[in-house]
Amino acid sequence: MITDICTLDQSFTGVENALALTEKCAAYCELSPRQTLQLRLLAEELLGMMRGILVNYEAEFYLESEAKDITIHLRAHADMDIPDSERKKIVEVSTSGENLAYRGVMGKVRKLLECGMFGGQESLAAASSLMFTGVEYDTYMIPNEWSLKRYMDTISALQDKAPQQWDELEKSIVANLADDVTVGVHADVAEVSIR
């Protein structure tokens, strides 16, 4: 089953509708109260990540289910561009002058989505490799798609060489609740899916 599509824009008026859609999907799939809460937490994390990205365009939020296997989708068309000068102005407002939005697992997912939306497939691949800065690794990225599961497997194998990345994974709600998170760019559409 695929739910209705909820449209989100810079005013974020669709967030309550998206969360209601999540609850409705949980009821339809007969999830337990705990599973419903976990699904809602994942939806909230995904929606929260989009707050800083949705400036000049819209995104589509929907859920797809097969029995109790549910995937949350968030799609945005990658045809808008925010100049680097505008991004720098936003970052300069912070006390540290750093973009703290890219810390943690969902911050990195956000960075991947932004790179895919504003820079296309090549930027998504480049941003994926930045997640391993300071760590020697032997992994690959499926063209046009990054996967949290593959990232977790790589970091797990390199725990002693990547303590900061391992710590982020252990503390992440999404990494602990989701089976996988993928970020993909196909043509002019960038999408994050949480399964």
Side-chain angles (χ1 to χ4, degrees), residues 132 134-137 151-170:
F132 294 97
V135 179
E136 290 184 30
Y137 68 99
Y151 175 71
M152 288 174 65
D153 290 346
T154 301
I155 294 301
S156 178
L158 301 170
Q159 279 183 45
D160 32 328
K161 294 180 182 178
Q164 180 181 352
Q165 289 92 337
W166 181 251
D167 190 48
E168 285 178 347
L169 286 172
E170 286 188 322

Side-chain angles (χ1 to χ4, degrees), residues 28 41 45 49 62 64 75 97 100 121 124 130 154 184 187 193:
Y28 175 83
L41 281 171
E45 285 286 319
M49 177 196 71
Y62 67 97
E64 186 176 3
R75 283 190 312 214
L100 301 179
Q121 297 165 353
L124 178 65
L130 289 176
T154 301
S193 299

Side-chain angles (χ1 to χ4, degrees), residues 77-94:
H77 291 276
D79 55 1
M80 291 292 185
D81 193 10
I82 297 175
D84 284 340
S85 60
E86 290 300 312
R87 288 182 199 212
K88 287 178 184 172
K89 286 179 190 173
I90 294 169
V91 171
E92 287 170 0
V93 171
S94 76

Side-chain angles (χ1 to χ4, degrees), residues 35-65:
Q35 292 169 323
T36 300
L37 177 61
Q38 290 174 339
L39 183 65
R40 184 178 169 101
L41 281 171
L42 291 171
E44 287 174 354
E45 285 286 319
L46 183 58
L47 293 166
M49 177 196 71
M50 288 302 293
R51 278 202 184 272
I53 299 175
L54 291 177
V55 178
N56 295 316
Y57 52 92
E58 297 179 344
E60 299 169 341
F61 176 95
Y62 67 97
L63 296 97
E64 186 176 3
S65 67

Side-chain angles (χ1 to χ4, degrees), residues 71-178:
T71 303
I72 306 168
H73 297 273
L74 193 70
R75 283 190 312 214
H77 291 276
D79 55 1
M80 291 292 185
D81 193 10
I82 297 175
D84 284 340
S85 60
E86 290 300 312
R87 288 182 199 212
K88 287 178 184 172
K89 286 179 190 173
I90 294 169
V91 171
E92 287 170 0
V93 171
S94 76
T95 307
S96 67
E98 297 176 24
N99 191 342
L100 301 179
Y102 299 141
R103 291 196 179 158
V105 173
M106 286 308 283
K108 290 178 179 175
V109 170
R110 176 182 171 170
K111 175 69 173 176
L112 290 167
L113 182 63
E114 284 182 353
C115 287
M117 289 173 67
F118 303 127
Q121 297 165 353
E122 296 81 18
S123 291
L124 178 65
S128 177
S129 68
L130 289 176
M131 295 184 80
F132 294 97
T133 300
V135 179
E136 290 184 30
Y137 68 99
D138 182 22
T139 189
Y140 67 94
M141 186 180 107
I142 293 176
N144 310 331
E145 183 178 280
W146 174 89
S147 164
L148 177 63
K149 182 170 180 358
R150 287 192 306 272
Y151 175 71
M152 288 174 65
D153 290 346
T154 301
I155 294 301
S156 178
L158 301 170
Q159 279 183 45
D160 32 328
K161 294 180 182 178
Q164 180 181 352
Q165 289 92 337
W166 181 251
D167 190 48
E168 285 178 347
L169 286 172
E170 286 188 322
K171 292 177 181 176
S172 170
I173 292 171
V174 174
N176 286 300
L177 294 180

